[in-house]
């Protein structure tokens, strides 16, 4: 033993003797033992003291659907009572992390993501029910849309999808989140960071403030699949391009403990046909491998769920992916717990001797000190500090310390407890009755104020407002009066301070604000934001419409600005369509191959007006139309349609045995105008007037040349969720028209018609439908103005327009089963039964023998290029007509 070591032992012994046997009271005052504690950064401003400990940072990687494993990781941490001090995410990791940081539980995240149709995010188009009724017929009839720029050169989009549906899905999720940051994301339940990549500079961009939705959209912008998201001066793409496992972005201090969760997709052999996004995913995986390896090496704990070759696109195996995350986190949990232990300082090894444990004011702490302290006649200071940590973790203590009096050989525990909670009062918003807001607190009345329980109750208040459609109501201040036991909660109602449009160049701003049902000075509503977005997107003028909430005035209760970021289409659309309709594939049936070209030129004077040039041609049909249309007039729900048109068609005449006997030709040209009012997305009433010249050629020299002038009224209601194969909704079309000499018409007649189709899906994948058609006209009604019956969608078992009459009645029932719904196509099997009749004289007496009966069975594929339908129809034998079987084929959309 050296002289230095001997001296050290003597010095240590003297220190211990001095501690155990104090020389006098002057130099042996009670020693105060505390642990470092800091005010909580809780966004609810409830004063809480949080013990100092190693800060846990979680880095969640991107990986498409594989990112669902992050839910399992967070769930295991929550079960272990481990709260992250910060969450940093990329792409899907950013989405899961943002939802969790915003107050959603893991179960809520799972349930909400299950409901999202992620495949719809790739092939963007407005949801049919959100469109103005006048636009619903245009939505799905085209096969291809081109945009022609300068010198008629096609404008090629930068990606398969503009990302509008993706943004809407993200917006719906974030608007419902309990916590809404006014600016800094440290106000969330857990502080958050989102990593994206700037396409211009190639640098990673870390977001930690502002509206979460655009940052998520930017971080999830997979190249070629979604357009880059333009945010201020940045063009944001997938954050995984620069750092797919954001360990460096998560770590802000050398003392941080960083857990990296890696769900990146492994390299695999793509199977033909190889999609563009599969190539991009493979290339980015190759480029990221080295950086991912470095990130994992720099993490303190690496969690790598065993996901095999699960695809990046959203699959059906939600539960398996989440369970893989749970299992991976459970394996890493012991190492993490050990790292999170409070580091023991050198002085914590000092042993304090005491024979008695006392309490300030004889009030014991919430938990008793360990019994072995007395049996061992003392404890190390490190164990005392650990005991103080346990007291703080209960949430009912504002301050805790220990006083060591060596002279009295006593350790005194000092605790400052919270008061009893007797009531809660609310000020500020006034959107929900106080009695309802107090409900989350009722289980805690009469009990000691508990910070964790109070936080849960305050979250309940936020959830109540989200459930009632108020997405930006926040809690600005929480005060507790210990003398009365009243907890005062001040709420900010989240009123609108203004609406700002960003990105407008050619489209006039005039009256765009009227499309957003929000008013300055009134609380912002979830419905108002979503409805305004769908209204603007439904105009067809914008490639994307992205509302962003901006708080510009800090604590000012009326300075939430709704910024609507608009990405205008670069050029007017040119729509192309092609369809084939065939019957029986024999000379007796109709076979029509028809195509159309449509140019839509938006008005630069008024956003809701447009000029449409339409041309559809078949070897037996032709239609040319130039029209000027407006969906709204000066922001009012009024419409007009002024049209010049020419139409020609050739049809077969059939005998009672369904044999084609002769042909007839009909042609008309003229002008029409319609002015009406609408219930924007479901109803339209229009007053019409038309003037036409008819030139018809019928067999046996029965030519007919006349001028027609008529006025009428039409009523339309349409709530179908899809144009083809609707699952639910009602569609009604009816009208009344009259032609008279006082209007200059050569033919005098009246016509009344109506049809309604109702669909519902009471059981998943099982759809039922009913259709009713009724029409009647005067005896004087010309042949080409009468009503036609027959065809695949009109009456199975009859040729197209086989029966022409002045009066028709029919009723049909349909059952459809969804065989398979996939990313690129849906498939259906259906049955239908129809009963109906056609009479040449509207005043004819109807007998039971006049009714025809028909049945049909069909198979259909609904693809990106339009439907493919094979239908067999059978007309049952009845008096006037013989039975008949017809095989119908249709490829493409109807127009």
């Amino acid at each position: 033993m050296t002289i230095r070591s001997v001296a050290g032992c003597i010095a240590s012994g003297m220190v211990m003797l001095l501690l155990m046997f104090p020389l006098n009271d002057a130099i042996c005052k009670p020693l105060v033992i505390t642990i470092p504690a800091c005010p909580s950064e809780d966004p609810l401003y409830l004063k809480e003291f949080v013990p100092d400990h190693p800060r846990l940072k979680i880095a969640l990687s991107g990986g498409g659907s594989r990112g669902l494993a992050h839910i399992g990781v967070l769930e295991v941490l929550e079960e272990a009572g481990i709260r992250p001090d910060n969450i940093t995410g990329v792409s899907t990791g950013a989405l899961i992390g943002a939802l969790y940081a915003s107050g959603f539980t893991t179960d809520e995240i799972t349930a909400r993501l299950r409901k999202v149709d992620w495949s719809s995010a790739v092939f963007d188009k407005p949801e049919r029910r959100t469109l103005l009724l006048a636009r619903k017929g245009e939505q799905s009839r085209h096969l291809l849309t081109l945009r022609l720029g300068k010198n008629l050169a096609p404008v090629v989009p930068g990606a398969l999808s503009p990302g509008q549906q993706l943004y809407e899905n993200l917006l719906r999720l974030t608007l419902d989140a309990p916590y809404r940051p006014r600016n800094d994301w440290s106000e969330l339940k857990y502080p958050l960071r989102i990593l994206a990549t700037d396409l211009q500079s190639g640098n990673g961009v870390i977001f930690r403030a502002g509206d979460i939705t655009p940052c998520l959209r930017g971080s999830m912008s997979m190249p070629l699949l979604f357009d880059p998201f333009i945010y201020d001066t940045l063009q944001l793409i997938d954050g995984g391009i620069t750092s797919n496992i954001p360990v460096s972005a998560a770590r802000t201090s050398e003392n941080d403990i960083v857990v990296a969760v890696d769900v990146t997709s492994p390299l695999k052999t793509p199977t033909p046909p190889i999609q563009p996004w599969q190539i991009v995913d493979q290339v980015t995986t190759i480029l990221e491998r080295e950086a991912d390896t470095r990130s994992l090496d720099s993490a303190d704990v690496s969690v790598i769920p065993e996901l095999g070759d699960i695809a990046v696109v959203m699959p059906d195996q939600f539960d398996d992916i989440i369970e893989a995350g749970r299992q991976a986190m459970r394996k890493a949990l012991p190492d993490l717990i050990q790292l999170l232990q409070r580091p023991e300082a050198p002085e914590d090894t000092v042993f304090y001797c005491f024979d008695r444990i006392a309490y300030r004011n004889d009030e014991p702490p919430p938990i008793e000190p360990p019994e072995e302290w007395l049996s061992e006649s003392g404890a190390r200071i490190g164990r005392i500090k650990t005991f103080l940590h346990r007291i703080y973790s209960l949430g009912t203590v504002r301050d805790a310390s220990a006083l060591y009096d060596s002279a009295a050989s006593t350790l005194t525990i000092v605790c400052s407890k919270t008061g009893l909670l007797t009531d809660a009062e609310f000020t500020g918003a006034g959107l929900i009755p106080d009695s309802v807001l107090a409900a989350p607190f009722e289980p805690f009345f009469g009990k000691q104020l508990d910070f964790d329980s109070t936080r849960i109750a305050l979250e309940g208040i936020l959830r109540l407002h989200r459930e009632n459609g108020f997405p930006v109501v926040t809690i600005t201040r929480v005060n507790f009066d210990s003398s009365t036991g009243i907890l005062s909660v001040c709420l900010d109602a989240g009123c609108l301070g203004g609406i700002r449009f960003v990105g407008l160049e050619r489209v006039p701003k005039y009256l765009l604000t009227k499309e957003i049902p929000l008013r300055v000075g009134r609380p912002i509503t979830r419905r108002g934001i979503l409805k305004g977005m769908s209204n603007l997107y439904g105009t067809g003028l914008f490639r994307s419409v992205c509302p962003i909430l901006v708080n510009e005035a800090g604590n000012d209760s009326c300075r939430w600005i709704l910024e609507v970021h608009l990405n205008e289409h670069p050029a007017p659309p040119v729509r192309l369509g092609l369809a084939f309709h065939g019957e029986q594939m024999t000379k007796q049936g109709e076979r029509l191959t028809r195509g159309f070209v449509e140019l839509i030129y938006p008005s630069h004077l008024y956003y809701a007006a447009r000029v449409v040039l339409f041309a559809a041609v078949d070897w037996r049909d032709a239609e040319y139309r130039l029209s000027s249309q407006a969906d709204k007039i000066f922001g009012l729900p009024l419409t007009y349609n002024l049209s010049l048109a020419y139409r020609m068609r050739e049809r077969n005449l059939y005998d009672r045995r369904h044999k084609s006997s002769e042909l007839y030709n009909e042609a008309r040209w003229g002008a029409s105008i319609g002015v009406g009012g609408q219930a924007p997305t479901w109803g339209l009433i229009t007053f019409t007037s038309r003037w036409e010249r008819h030139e018809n050629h019928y067999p046996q020299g029965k030519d007919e040349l006349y001028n027609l002038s008529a006025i009428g009224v039409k009523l339309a209601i349409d709530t179908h969720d899809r144009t083809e194969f609707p699952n639910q909704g009602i569609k009604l079309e009816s009208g009344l028209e009259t032609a008279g000499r006082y209007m200059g018409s050569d033919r005098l007649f009246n016509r009344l018609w109506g049809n309604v189709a109702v669909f519902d899906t009471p059981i998943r994948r099982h759809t039922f439908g009913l259709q009713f058609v009724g029409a009647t006209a005067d005896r004087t009604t010309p042949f080409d103005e009468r009503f036609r019956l027959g065809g695949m969608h009109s009456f199975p078992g009859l040729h197209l327009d086989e029966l022409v009459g002045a009066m028709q009645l029919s009723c049909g029932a349909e059952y459809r089963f969804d065989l398979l719904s996939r990313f690129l196509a849906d498939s259906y099997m259906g049955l239908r039964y129809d009963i109906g009749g056609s009479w040449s004289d509207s005043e004819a007496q109807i007998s039971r023998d006049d009714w025809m009966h028909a049945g049909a069975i069909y198979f259909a594929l609904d693809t990106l290029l339009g439907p493919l339908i094979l239908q067999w129809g059978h007309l049952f034998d009845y008096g006037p007509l013989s039975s008949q079987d017809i095989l119908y084929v249709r490829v493409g959309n109807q127009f």
Side-chain angles (χ1 to χ4, degrees):
M1 179 177 293
T2 64
I3 296 176
R4 180 177 298 179
S5 62
V6 171
C9 290
I10 295 174
S12 298
M14 293 179 65
V15 170
M16 292 299 297
L17 288 172
L18 289 173
L19 291 173
M20 298 175 64
F21 304 102
L23 298 177
N24 55 62
D25 293 339
I27 62 174
C28 294
K29 294 181 180 180
L31 176 67
V32 180
I33 304 171
T34 61
I35 59 175
C38 59
S40 170
E41 295 180 354
D42 193 298
L44 306 181
Y45 303 100
L46 184 65
K47 187 177 180 182
E48 174 188 8
F49 286 92
V50 180
D52 188 23
H53 61 81
R55 297 178 67 81
L56 172 62
K57 308 294 183 67
I58 300 179
L60 304 179
S61 78
S65 67
R66 301 164 64 90
L68 294 171
H70 296 317
I71 300 175
V73 171
L74 295 172
E75 183 178 316
V76 171
L77 290 175
E78 191 173 88
E79 291 172 353
I82 298 175
R83 290 169 54 95
D85 293 285
N86 184 280
I87 300 175
T88 302
V90 172
S91 192
T92 313
L95 172 61
I96 304 298
L99 296 179
Y100 190 71
S102 299
F104 285 120
T105 66
T106 53
D107 288 340
E108 289 174 331
I109 295 173
T110 304
R112 288 176 178 273
L113 293 184
R114 284 184 190 273
K115 296 177 181 179
V116 177
D117 181 11
W118 293 103
S119 62
S120 67
V122 178
F123 301 102
D124 267 312
K125 59 182 179 181
E127 184 180 353
R128 190 175 190 276
R129 286 184 168 179
T130 66
L131 294 176
L132 296 172
L133 191 141
R135 299 260 182 169
K136 290 183 177 181
E138 301 175 359
Q139 183 191 36
S140 300
R141 67 188 183 189
H142 55 279
L143 177 66
L144 179 66
T145 298
L146 299 175
R147 294 187 180 272
L148 303 180
K150 294 181 179 180
N151 301 322
L152 300 181
V155 178
V156 180
L160 181 64
S161 167
Q164 176 65 28
Q165 190 64 44
L166 172 62
Y167 192 92
E168 181 176 341
N169 289 337
L170 297 175
L171 184 62
R172 289 180 181 274
L173 291 170
T174 55
L175 286 179
D176 288 342
Y179 288 76
R180 162 68 57 174
R182 287 175 296 178
N183 191 24
D184 196 317
W185 292 351
S186 63
E187 298 175 358
L188 294 170
K189 186 173 184 179
Y190 306 106
L192 174 69
R193 293 182 177 184
I194 292 176
L195 180 64
T197 301
D198 180 19
L199 183 62
Q200 299 180 87
S201 65
N203 298 325
V205 181
I206 300 175
F207 293 98
R208 52 174 66 89
D211 194 337
I212 292 177
T213 312
C215 303
L216 287 176
R217 168 65 177 83
S219 185
M220 298 179 71
S221 298
M222 185 175 180
L224 293 186
L225 192 59
F226 299 111
D227 282 351
F229 186 76
I230 300 175
Y231 193 32
D232 293 333
T233 60
L234 304 173
Q235 294 185 23
L236 302 177
I237 58 174
D238 195 335
I241 302 297
T242 50
S243 179
N244 197 45
I245 307 176
V247 174
S248 59
R251 190 187 300 277
T252 57
S253 169
E254 293 182 357
N255 298 324
D256 291 341
I257 304 299
V258 179
V259 176
V261 186
D262 178 17
V263 295
T264 55
S265 177
L267 292 175
K268 49 188 175 294
T269 303
T271 56
I274 302 175
Q275 306 298 332
W277 51 88
Q278 292 177 318
I279 298 175
V280 173
D281 178 54
Q282 189 83 336
V283 170
T284 53
T285 300
I286 294 172
L287 297 176
E288 292 167 2
R289 281 189 300 178
E290 185 176 349
D292 290 349
T293 301
R294 290 196 303 268
S295 294
L296 289 175
D297 290 341
S298 65
D300 298 284
V301 177
S302 296
V303 180
I304 307 176
E306 297 180 4
L307 298 172
D309 58 352
I310 290 177
V312 173
V313 296
M314 283 294 175
D316 296 328
Q317 55 265 52
F318 264 65
D319 296 333
D320 295 339
I321 299 176
I322 295 174
E323 181 58 30
R326 293 193 193 101
Q327 294 178 5
M329 188 65 246
R330 290 191 185 109
K331 291 180 182 179
L333 192 58
D335 293 338
L336 176 61
I337 292 176
Q338 185 174 1
L339 289 171
L340 289 177
Q341 296 296 324
R342 185 180 62 84
E344 193 172 60
E347 62 270 17
D348 291 347
T349 61
V350 177
F351 189 88
Y352 289 157
C353 295
F354 49 84
D355 298 326
R356 189 171 70 91
I357 299 176
Y359 310 111
R360 176 66 58 87
N361 299 326
D362 294 328
E363 184 178 350
I367 53 176
E368 294 291 335
E371 295 180 358
E372 56 265 26
W373 285 5
L374 293 179
S375 63
E376 297 175 359
S377 299
R380 288 187 294 112
I381 189 173
R383 296 192 64 188
I384 298 174
K385 290 182 178 180
T386 300
F387 175 68
L388 296 178
H389 268 275
R390 291 179 58 199
I391 292 178
Y392 271 120
S393 65
L394 297 176
T396 56
V397 172
R398 288 184 288 116
D399 197 6
S401 61
L403 302 179
Y404 174 60
D405 188 343
S406 59
S409 189
T410 302
L411 183 72
T412 304
I413 307 298
V414 180
C415 288
S416 176
K417 297 182 182 181
T418 59
L420 294 179
L421 179 64
T422 61
D423 199 2
E425 60 182 23
F426 309 92
T427 59
L431 301 173
I432 299 176
D434 288 358
S435 59
V436 177
L437 293 178
F441 289 93
E442 289 178 356
F444 311 117
F445 287 158
K447 300 180 180 179
Q448 191 177 351
L449 184 69
D450 184 321
F451 291 109
D452 291 333
S453 299
T454 305
R455 182 186 289 109
I456 293 173
L458 292 171
E459 277 188 24
I461 293 176
L462 296 176
R463 289 176 182 273
L464 284 171
H465 284 91
R466 303 300 182 259
E467 292 168 3
N468 285 273
F470 300 106
V472 296
V473 171
T474 55
I475 298 174
T476 58
R477 188 173 62 255
V478 178
N479 290 325
F480 179 67
D481 188 339
S482 57
S483 62
T484 62
I486 297 177
L487 189 73
S488 300
V489 181
C490 183
L491 297 166
D492 182 341
C495 293
L496 181 67
I499 298 176
R500 181 187 304 144
F501 295 100
V502 179
L504 286 178
E505 295 179 5
R506 296 177 301 277
V507 177
K509 180 181 177 181
Y510 179 59
L511 294 178
L512 279 181
T513 304
K514 286 185 172 293
E515 296 295 333
I516 303 175
L518 294 173
R519 297 295 173 262
V520 174
R522 300 292 299 165
I524 297 172
T525 64
R526 180 181 190 271
R527 178 188 175 278
I529 295 174
L530 295 175
K531 182 65 175 175
M533 179 176 63
S534 65
N535 286 349
L536 291 171
Y537 190 54
T539 63
L541 299 174
F542 307 105
R543 182 165 171 83
S544 63
V545 177
C546 302
I548 298 175
L549 288 166
V550 180
N551 190 292
E552 293 189 338
N555 294 329
D556 189 340
S557 62
C558 195
R559 287 306 301 170
W560 282 99
I561 304 299
L562 182 65
E563 275 191 1
V564 184
H565 289 238
L566 302 166
N567 181 12
E568 295 181 0
H569 282 299
V574 178
R575 293 173 176 169
L576 306 176
L578 183 66
F580 171 77
H581 296 250
E583 296 178 1
Q584 200 167 305
M585 302 305 182
T586 70
K587 293 182 180 180
Q588 299 299 328
E590 302 280 359
R591 295 187 302 280
L592 302 174
T593 301
R594 198 175 188 217
F596 80 84
V597 178
E598 182 179 38
L599 171 64
I600 302 177
Y601 194 85
S603 170
H604 288 287
L605 298 177
Y606 184 58
Y607 77 95
R610 61 196 184 278
V611 176
V612 180
L613 177 62
F614 180 88
V617 180
D618 176 70
W619 67 282
R620 302 184 66 183
D621 285 330
E623 181 179 357
Y624 307 97
R625 183 172 67 250
L626 175 64
S627 61
S628 174
Q629 305 171 11
D631 300 322
K632 294 187 177 181
I633 301 176
F634 301 114
L636 300 175
L638 302 175
T639 68
Y640 81 83
N641 187 325
L642 177 62
S643 178
L644 302 174
Y646 169 81
R647 181 178 179 183
M648 179 275 292
R649 67 179 176 183
E650 179 185 82
R651 287 291 181 267
N652 294 321
L653 287 174
Y654 295 91
D655 59 22
R656 292 188 175 185
R657 295 183 177 274
H658 311 289
K659 301 297 182 181
S660 176
S661 57
E662 297 175 280
L663 299 175
Y664 66 90
N665 295 277
E666 297 176 343
R668 64 180 69 181
W669 58 269
S672 64
I673 185 171
V675 179
Q678 60 179 325
T681 61
W682 59 268
L684 176 65
I685 184 169
T686 307
F687 297 92
T688 64
S689 176
R690 61 175 173 140
W691 179 92
E692 294 174 343
R693 174 69 174 177
H694 290 231
E695 300 180 0
N696 305 323
H697 302 280
Y698 299 113
Q700 301 176 0
K702 295 181 179 179
D703 295 347
E704 189 174 29
L705 306 176
Y706 68 92
N707 295 326
L708 173 65
S709 296
I711 59 173
V713 59
K714 295 180 180 179
L715 173 65
I717 296 174
D718 188 348
T719 63
H720 280 180
D721 57 347
R722 302 176 63 176
T723 302
E724 298 280 355
F725 314 109
N727 293 313
Q728 54 185 222
I730 181 173
K731 184 175 183 179
L732 179 145
E733 295 178 347
S734 61
L736 170 65
E737 189 175 45
T738 181
R741 292 192 186 279
Y742 59 91
M743 293 179 290
S745 179
D746 296 337
R747 296 291 185 270
L748 312 180
F749 62 87
N750 297 291
R751 301 193 311 154
L752 174 65
W753 70 93
N755 64 76
V756 59
V758 182
F759 287 89
D760 191 26
T761 307
I763 304 174
R764 184 173 177 267
R765 301 175 67 181
H766 297 269
T767 301
F768 299 87
L770 287 175
Q771 182 174 1
F772 302 91
V773 177
T776 183
D778 295 337
R779 292 179 177 178
T780 57
T781 304
F783 184 81
D784 63 340
E785 291 291 326
R786 295 194 173 202
F787 307 106
R788 287 164 169 77
L789 187 67
M792 174 187 291
H793 303 289
S794 174
F795 204 89
L798 294 176
H799 294 292
L800 180 65
D801 297 342
E802 182 172 344
L803 299 180
V804 181
M807 183 171 64
Q808 290 180 355
L809 294 172
S810 68
C811 176
E814 180 178 349
Y815 165 74
R816 184 175 70 246
F817 178 68
D818 185 352
L819 291 169
L820 187 67
S821 293
R822 285 297 181 263
F823 186 60
L824 298 178
D826 296 335
S827 59
Y828 304 97
M829 181 71 73
L831 301 171
R832 61 178 292 179
Y833 175 80
D834 290 79
I835 179 173
S838 177
W839 295 265
S840 58
D841 188 349
S842 59
E843 298 181 6
Q845 295 295 321
I846 301 175
S847 66
R848 186 175 63 178
D849 296 335
D850 294 336
W851 296 100
M852 300 177 292
H853 298 263
I857 182 171
Y858 65 85
F859 171 78
L861 286 174
D862 191 11
T863 72
L864 295 175
L865 302 179
L868 166 62
I869 306 175
L870 298 176
Q871 177 176 294
W872 170 80
H874 175 75
L875 179 69
F876 295 95
D877 192 9
Y878 91 111
L881 297 175
S882 60
S883 64
Q884 178 178 228
D885 294 297
I886 295 182
L887 177 65
Y888 302 93
V889 178
R890 180 184 140 206
V891 181
N893 298 300
Q894 296 188 82
F895 54 87

